[in-house]
Amino acid sequence: MKIRRIKLTKLSWKLAFLYAAVFAAVLLVLNASVLYGVKFFLIDQAKQKVESVSSTVEKRIIGSNSEQMTFDDPEIIYEARSDNTLNIKVAEPSGRIVNATDNFNMLGVPVMDHLNVVRKLEGGALNLVVKNTAVIDGGKVKAYIQVSQNMEKEYNFLWILFILLAIADIIGILFSLFAGYILSKSMLKPIDKMTKAANEIGLSGLSARIEVPPADDELSRLAITFNEMLDRINATFEKQGRFVADASHELRTPVSIIQGYIGMMDRWGKQDEKVLQESINAIKKETLSMTVMIERLLFLARGDNGRQLLKKAMFSIDNLMEEVSLESSMLASDHNFSFQGSQGLELFADRRMIKQMLRALLDNSIKFTPTGGKIDLLYVGDDKEIVFTVIDTGIGIPMEEKEQIFERFYRVDKARARETGGSGLGLSIVKRIVEVHEGKIKIESTVGTGTSVTVTLPRL
Ligand SMILES: Nc1ncnc2c1ncn2[C@@H]1O[C@H](COP(=O)(O)OP(=O)(O)O)[C@@H](O)[C@H]1O
Ligand SMILES: [Mg+2]
């Protein structure tokens, strides 16, 4: 058998990519909110600054009288002169600009519209927070002021932050990919081990077992389940092997007997009529018992493969009992039989099998009950089930062997086996027949007193 190594790389990569994707999504959301938050904070700060500068300048203009300070006095726009991120423009009510700084290009943002609101102007070369104010004094417009804050520095900062975060993200994602790969690979390692172990099990027989990982997790449970399955397979395997060995062993005896008689016939049979007849009789007997055994083996083997064919039909128990009782008394006239039961019972089952079962039970009672002993067959039934009981006054079965006698080829007294002519398959077949009819079987026995076998079969 060729050992096929199953590559786990694929699964670990899949998991790693999954980790990385989830991680990337989390990073993305996180960084987007950081960027957005910082941007919001910076704009808010700029707006506050614009508001406060506007109101300072406004107060200055309202408070001024022409003697001290004119609109074009550089002191009025003092803040913008010391801060080159700020532009202040002052216009006369006519709209003519009379005082202004030119710290950065305003691209002609008008002075007299959108009054008294702080606006954010974005796009193109413009990144400004602007407020236009109409300075009202004594119910009349005295002047217009425009205060604007250049956001270029802040935007540059945001841009750098964005790049840094992106780099960190890429590094993080690559790292998570790598870590995810290493992690999933190490987590899947036991599976790799199991695969190898499973491969070796086929090669080195069924005795090898998979090493169970120490942690109590899915993988260790998988290993345990796998090992249990191997135990079961091994048990079945051994049972099959034993069955085949036992079967060959059992068949070897009649074959060697037949060979012995053939040798005898060859040497003396041609002259001696008596030897010839004796040999023929013996060979007949042995081939017959071989045929019976082979048939039984086939019956059991069919069941092992789950191919037992059940031919169920409704039949009369009275009729069946008549047949069985006649055959039994003919086969064993030296035992006292008594067949008793309810009249008119009917059963839906495979008649041939039920008969085979009763005959096997009676056959045992006959074999293991001394001449003159009593053998009873009772049958009673209600609308649910029918109970057959075979009672004998035979040698009985030792307590500790009550389970084993159902095993194939098992006989309590092996020495007597050839004498009684059994193969040890009778009760295996009985058990099988009861099982396929979904019934129950019970044996009660006292050594030296007798045995009673009870079979309960459902009516339908
Ligand atoms: N009625 C019985 N009384 C005593 N022993 C029994 C009886 N039925 C079965 N046994 C024991 O169970 C063993 C298995 O029975 P069975 O499977 O029918 O095989 P076989 O009849 O070919 O020996 C028998 O060999 C015998 O030792
Ligand atoms: Mg038997």
Side-chain angles (χ1 to χ4, degrees):
M1 196 172 77
K2 215 182 122 211
I3 298 184
R4 197 164 54 100
R5 256 203 67 141
I6 291 177
K7 285 231 162 26
L8 289 166
T9 355
K10 255 178 100 181
L11 191 54
S12 3
W13 272 120
K14 265 186 210 165
L15 282 174
F17 276 118
L18 198 71
Y19 291 151
V22 172
F23 191 59
V26 171
L27 280 182
L28 220 69
V29 171
L30 206 73
N31 293 347
S33 40
V34 164
L35 276 172
Y36 187 78
V38 171
K39 188 178 170 186
F40 181 83
F41 172 75
L42 291 174
I43 290 172
D44 195 54
Q45 287 237 308
K47 282 179 175 173
Q48 280 180 29
K49 187 172 158 195
V50 166
E51 292 260 26
S52 90
V53 171
S54 287
S55 75
T56 315
V57 175
E58 191 180 355
K59 273 180 209 140
R60 234 178 250 149
I61 289 177
I62 291 172
S64 74
N65 49 54
S66 24
E67 288 112 67
Q68 290 169 357
M69 205 180 247
T70 51
F71 283 1
D72 55 0
D73 189 330
E75 278 308 305
I76 284 182
I77 53 170
Y78 160 81
E79 282 82 0
R81 291 195 309 129
S82 59
D83 179 352
N84 67 354
T85 67
L86 212 59
N87 262 347
I88 303 176
K89 288 183 181 175
V90 181
E92 287 177 335
S94 69
R96 195 172 67 91
I97 309 252
V98 287
N99 198 354
T101 48
D102 197 16
N103 286 329
F104 47 88
N105 192 349
M106 293 289 298
L107 295 175
V109 177
V111 182
M112 278 157 58
D113 58 357
H114 295 99
L115 290 171
N116 301 322
V117 284
V118 186
R119 283 183 298 153
K120 227 200 121 264
L121 298 180
E122 230 172 2
L126 280 180
N127 272 315
L128 306 174
V129 172
V130 184
K131 187 181 181 189
N132 291 342
T133 317
V135 184
I136 314 267
D137 195 19
K140 273 199 310 184
V141 175
K142 195 173 179 184
Y144 293 103
I145 330 167
Q146 182 184 63
V147 177
S148 46
Q149 164 76 41
N150 188 1
M151 298 293 292
E152 208 180 294
K153 242 161 106 188
E154 283 79 357
Y155 272 56
N156 279 344
F157 169 73
L158 282 174
W159 184 239
I160 288 168
L161 186 64
F162 171 76
I163 288 174
L164 285 178
L165 286 176
I167 290 173
D169 283 2
I170 289 170
I171 292 173
I173 289 166
L174 285 179
F175 179 76
S176 82
L177 202 62
F178 176 72
Y181 176 68
I182 300 284
L183 201 73
S184 45
K185 208 176 148 90
S186 83
M187 262 165 40
L188 292 173
K189 211 177 192 137
I191 293 188
D192 206 7
K193 260 192 190 166
M194 280 184 207
T195 312
K196 261 186 237 154
N199 257 320
E200 269 152 35
I201 283 162
L203 297 175
S204 63
L206 288 168
S207 53
R209 290 293 175 269
I210 286 176
E211 193 188 317
V212 178
D216 178 25
D217 55 15
E218 286 88 343
L219 289 178
S220 68
R221 283 196 289 280
L222 175 66
I224 290 169
T225 312
F226 195 86
N227 283 344
E228 283 169 356
M229 183 191 75
L230 282 174
D231 287 345
R232 286 197 298 274
I233 291 177
N234 200 20
T236 319
F237 206 66
E238 273 172 10
K239 221 169 109 187
Q240 288 281 346
R242 217 166 40 231
F243 184 55
V244 172
D246 287 347
S248 343
H249 182 82
E250 293 296 325
L251 286 169
R252 195 182 292 145
T253 320
V255 169
S256 49
I257 292 172
I258 289 169
Q259 275 172 337
Y261 277 108
I262 289 173
M264 229 165 86
M265 279 199 291
D266 200 17
R267 255 172 278 158
W268 302 294
K270 288 162 200 149
Q271 290 86 28
D272 194 333
E273 190 84 12
K274 219 179 114 219
V275 172
L276 188 65
Q277 192 55 49
E278 190 193 325
S279 306
I280 289 171
N281 288 348
I283 289 169
K284 253 189 187 165
K285 186 174 153 245
E286 291 302 327
T287 45
L288 186 73
S289 83
M290 268 170 80
T291 312
V292 170
M293 197 199 295
I294 289 168
E295 251 159 37
R296 290 177 168 186
L297 287 174
L298 283 176
F299 180 91
L300 289 170
R302 263 202 303 277
D304 286 347
N305 297 331
R307 283 193 285 120
Q308 206 105 55
L309 267 186
L310 261 182
K311 288 200 201 114
K312 278 191 171 187
M314 197 61 100
F315 64 88
S316 149
I317 297 290
D318 295 336
N319 182 273
L320 175 69
M321 287 305 156
E322 223 168 279
E323 259 177 53
V324 176
S325 112
L326 202 72
E327 283 172 18
S328 303
S329 8
M330 250 166 47
L331 281 171
S333 48
D334 43 5
H335 288 86
N336 292 316
F337 288 100
S338 130
F339 285 68
Q340 274 173 32
S342 329
Q343 298 295 299
L345 283 178
E346 286 202 319
L347 182 62
F348 184 72
D350 188 318
R351 189 179 192 273
R352 220 176 51 85
M353 283 197 199
I354 302 298
K355 186 172 171 186
Q356 193 180 359
M357 174 190 88
L358 292 173
R359 294 223 12 212
L361 293 178
L362 288 170
D363 179 56
N364 282 349
S365 289
I366 294 166
K367 269 195 299 194
F368 302 105
T369 305
T371 329
K374 229 173 104 44
I375 298 168
D376 292 335
L377 173 53
L378 305 176
Y379 47 101
V380 289
D382 55 24
D383 50 349
K384 279 207 213 82
E385 51 193 27
I386 288 187
V387 183
F388 299 97
T389 316
V390 179
I391 306 166
D392 64 45
T393 52
I395 59 170
I397 302 159
M399 190 64 182
E400 59 279 8
E401 275 164 293
K402 257 166 51 179
E403 290 302 316
Q404 282 146 285
I405 53 170
F406 288 104
E407 283 169 22
R408 291 162 192 189
F409 300 110
Y410 191 86
R411 280 158 297 192
V412 173
D413 185 351
K414 275 133 210 101
R416 269 190 57 168
R418 272 217 67 77
E419 204 182 303
T420 55
S423 57
L425 292 172
L427 285 179
S428 306
I429 288 174
V430 168
K431 192 176 160 215
R432 169 65 51 75
I433 292 173
V434 172
E435 273 169 6
V436 296
H437 283 90
E438 282 154 27
K440 284 186 293 262
I441 184 161
K442 201 177 85 189
I443 290 198
E444 277 166 69
S445 187
T446 314
V447 174
T449 307
T451 306
S452 129
V453 184
T454 310
V455 174
T456 309
L457 297 177
R459 284 292 289 276
L460 278 175

Coordinates of all heavy atoms in Angstrom, one line a residue, residues 10 91 109 112 128 190 372 456:
K10 N -2.8 23.5 3.1 CA -3.9 24.2 2.6 C -4.8 24.7 3.7 O -5.2 25.9 3.7 CB -4.7 23.3 1.6 CG -4.5 23.7 0.2 CD -5.2 22.8 -0.7 CE -6.5 23.4 -1.2 NZ -7.2 22.5 -2.1
A91 N -13.2 94.6 5.8 CA -13.7 95.3 4.7 C -14.7 96.4 5.2 O -15.3 96.3 6.2 CB -14.5 94.4 3.8
V109 N -12.0 83.8 -1.6 CA -13.2 83.5 -0.9 C -13.9 84.8 -0.5 O -13.2 85.7 0.2 CB -12.9 82.7 0.4 CG1 -14.2 82.4 1.2 CG2 -12.2 81.4 0.0
M112 N -18.4 88.8 2.1 CA -19.7 89.3 2.6 C -20.8 88.2 2.6 O -21.9 88.6 2.9 CB -20.1 90.5 1.8 CG -19.4 91.8 2.4 SD -19.3 93.1 1.2 CE -21.0 93.4 0.8
L128 N -9.6 75.2 4.5 CA -9.8 76.4 5.4 C -11.0 76.2 6.3 O -11.9 75.5 6.0 CB -10.0 77.7 4.6 CG -9.0 78.0 3.5 CD1 -9.5 79.2 2.8 CD2 -7.6 78.3 4.1
P190 N -1.6 17.7 15.4 CA -2.1 16.4 15.8 C -2.9 15.7 14.7 O -2.8 14.4 14.6 CB -3.0 16.8 17.0 CG -2.5 18.1 17.5 CD -2.0 18.8 16.3
G372 N -34.7 -41.9 28.0 CA -35.8 -42.0 29.0 C -36.2 -40.7 29.6 O -37.2 -40.6 30.3
T456 N -38.9 -15.7 23.2 CA -40.1 -14.9 23.1 C -40.1 -14.2 21.7 O -39.1 -13.5 21.4 CB -40.1 -13.9 24.2 OG1 -40.0 -14.6 25.4 CG2 -41.4 -13.1 24.2

